[in-house]
Amino acid sequence: MGIKWVTRMCLLGSLLVSTTAWSAEIHGRSSTQLLWFNNELIEQRQFEAAEYLRLSVTNIDKAGKFNIYGYGRLSQDFSNGEGGAGRLYYLYGEYRDLFDKADIRVGRQFVNVAAGSAIIDGLQVDIKNIGPVGFSLFGGRDVIFGLDGEIGYNWNTDLGMSAYLTGFKQTDAEVSWFRKWDHGNVARDILGLSAKQYLLNNLKVYGNAKYDLTAETFNEVQAGLKYFPTSSLVFTGEYYQSYATFDTTSIYSVFAVNEYAEGLFRVDYTFNDMVSINAGYNRQGYGEGAAANVYHVGLGVRPFEPLKVNVEYDNRTGYYGNTNGVIIDADYAITKKANIAGGFTYDVYQRDSLTNDEIARRYWLGGKYKVANNVAVSGRIQTDVNAQYRHNTSGRVTFDYDF
């Protein structure tokens, strides 16, 4: 994978050299990171460096319709002999407004419709400006990342299409289909529906559903509404249901699973610029009578302008143990260029009635300094103390350069 990634980036680099003569604009971000953490797989400490590069090349043609976008990661382990690794998340060319009717993307890209999402090496075409309905069609090689690079069969393929409403300010709706092949066999075959409607200027109704054609069942259903009588007060009610289905080619497809469902109610209220609160209740159902109740309350305080403090408390009782936990986060802007932040998490949990309470704690401290308008340095260090670790310290230092 590393050789392929470097090859693609070199090809892109040669293209950039040639496009500079066409007055193309090149923008992006280089993010260089140093990371240290406990590698759970080999149970050893690890220190590595990573480089994230995101870029866009625009105004390649005179009309400004053709652009190129790319994003990838290179990393090097310095402690455990794992060597270097690379991932190319996306690298595609996009031509917009072909005959004022179509947008075309070619290359590695992330595709997403109500029926599913994937990273593909392929083609996506969006048809627009033909009336109240737009259409999208995509297809290509299915890209899957593993620990050591890309995995999967080279001819694994994804295909999808969707139809959606366009031009309606208060209404969004989409119906879509997504299919995945694994070694020539249909592994996924999903129908999807997504809709959102605003009513009476203070009510939002939304819903999503996925139907698995191979398993002949809905594997995901969501329905909810938000009511905001004022700009400061929001009520949310939501129902979610899922039934885990797997690729037909996966061994997990033969295992029996229970349906999961939950109902949620939440209230958010902003008193003023200094104080806001939220509270909620969540009823979780795991099938065969197993259930849990989750209560949540949160408080946001800005005692004076540079300081923000958030406090959240959760209490969970029922299936598979009980949990009480609190999270405290604070952010302080020292100047317009510098800020520091820190937090503390404290959880008390009981796995089942036959075990004693266990305690998990996390402490973290971070900060960011803007050296210039396009240069920033940031960092974060945290340590976890729980039943598995007396001290599990991890951290990162990041240097960001925007160009």
Side-chain angles (χ1 to χ4, degrees), residues 133-151:
V133 180
F135 300 91
S136 182
L137 172 67
F138 63 82
R141 185 179 75 92
D142 185 45
V143 179
I144 303 174
F145 295 112
L147 291 175
D148 300 319
E150 293 182 22
I151 59 176

Side-chain angles (χ1 to χ4, degrees), residues 119-315:
I119 297 177
I120 64 169
D121 288 333
L123 171 71
Q124 179 176 7
V125 179
D126 292 326
I127 306 299
K128 59 185 184 179
N129 299 330
I130 57 174
V133 180
F135 300 91
S136 182
L137 172 67
F138 63 82
R141 185 179 75 92
D142 185 45
V143 179
I144 303 174
F145 295 112
L147 291 175
D148 300 319
E150 293 182 22
I151 59 176
Y153 183 59
N154 284 336
W155 293 104
N156 286 2
T157 306
D158 297 325
L159 178 65
M161 60 183 66
S162 69
Y164 53 91
L165 293 180
T166 180
F168 297 89
K169 292 183 179 181
Q170 305 295 322
T171 306
D172 290 327
E174 176 200 306
V175 59
S176 58
W177 169 71
F178 175 80
R179 174 175 286 186
K180 174 182 176 181
W181 285 272
D182 184 355
H183 286 76
N185 300 309
V186 176
R188 287 273 181 177
D189 204 9
I190 307 293
L191 291 177
L193 173 66
S194 176
K196 179 174 62 178
Q197 177 69 53
Y198 289 92
L199 300 169
L200 305 175
N201 296 322
N202 58 9
L203 184 66
K204 173 185 173 182
V205 182
Y206 58 92
N208 304 284
K210 293 181 181 179
Y211 183 80
D212 191 323
L213 293 170
T214 58
E216 298 183 345
T217 185
F218 283 96
N219 59 4
E220 187 173 304
V221 176
Q222 180 188 37
L225 61 86
K226 287 183 178 290
Y227 174 58
F228 30 96
T230 69
S231 60
S232 301
L233 180 62
V234 180
F235 296 95
T236 302
E238 185 174 293
Y239 174 79
Y240 176 79
Q241 174 185 308
S242 69
Y243 180 79
T245 59
F246 304 91
D247 289 357
T248 59
T249 55
S250 169
I251 189 174
Y252 295 106
S253 63
V254 302
F255 288 90
V257 296
N258 289 335
E259 184 179 85
Y260 172 79
E262 68 175 32
L264 175 148
F265 177 76
R266 178 183 170 110
V267 181
D268 293 82
Y269 184 68
T270 302
F271 289 94
N272 48 47
D273 293 339
M274 298 178 61
V275 181
S276 64
I277 62 171
N278 61 80
Y281 168 71
N282 190 332
R283 174 71 174 181
Q284 300 174 343
Y286 297 89
E288 299 180 358
N293 299 298
V294 182
Y295 301 90
H296 169 86
V297 62
L299 171 67
V301 180
R302 189 190 293 267
F304 49 92
E305 182 57 33
L307 178 64
K308 295 186 296 183
V309 180
N310 292 307
V311 181
E312 297 184 11
Y313 171 75
D314 284 312
N315 173 266

Side-chain angles (χ1 to χ4, degrees), residues 105-119:
R105 286 184 177 185
V106 179
R108 175 162 299 185
Q109 55 193 289
F110 175 75
V111 292
N112 178 58
V113 293
S117 60
I119 297 177

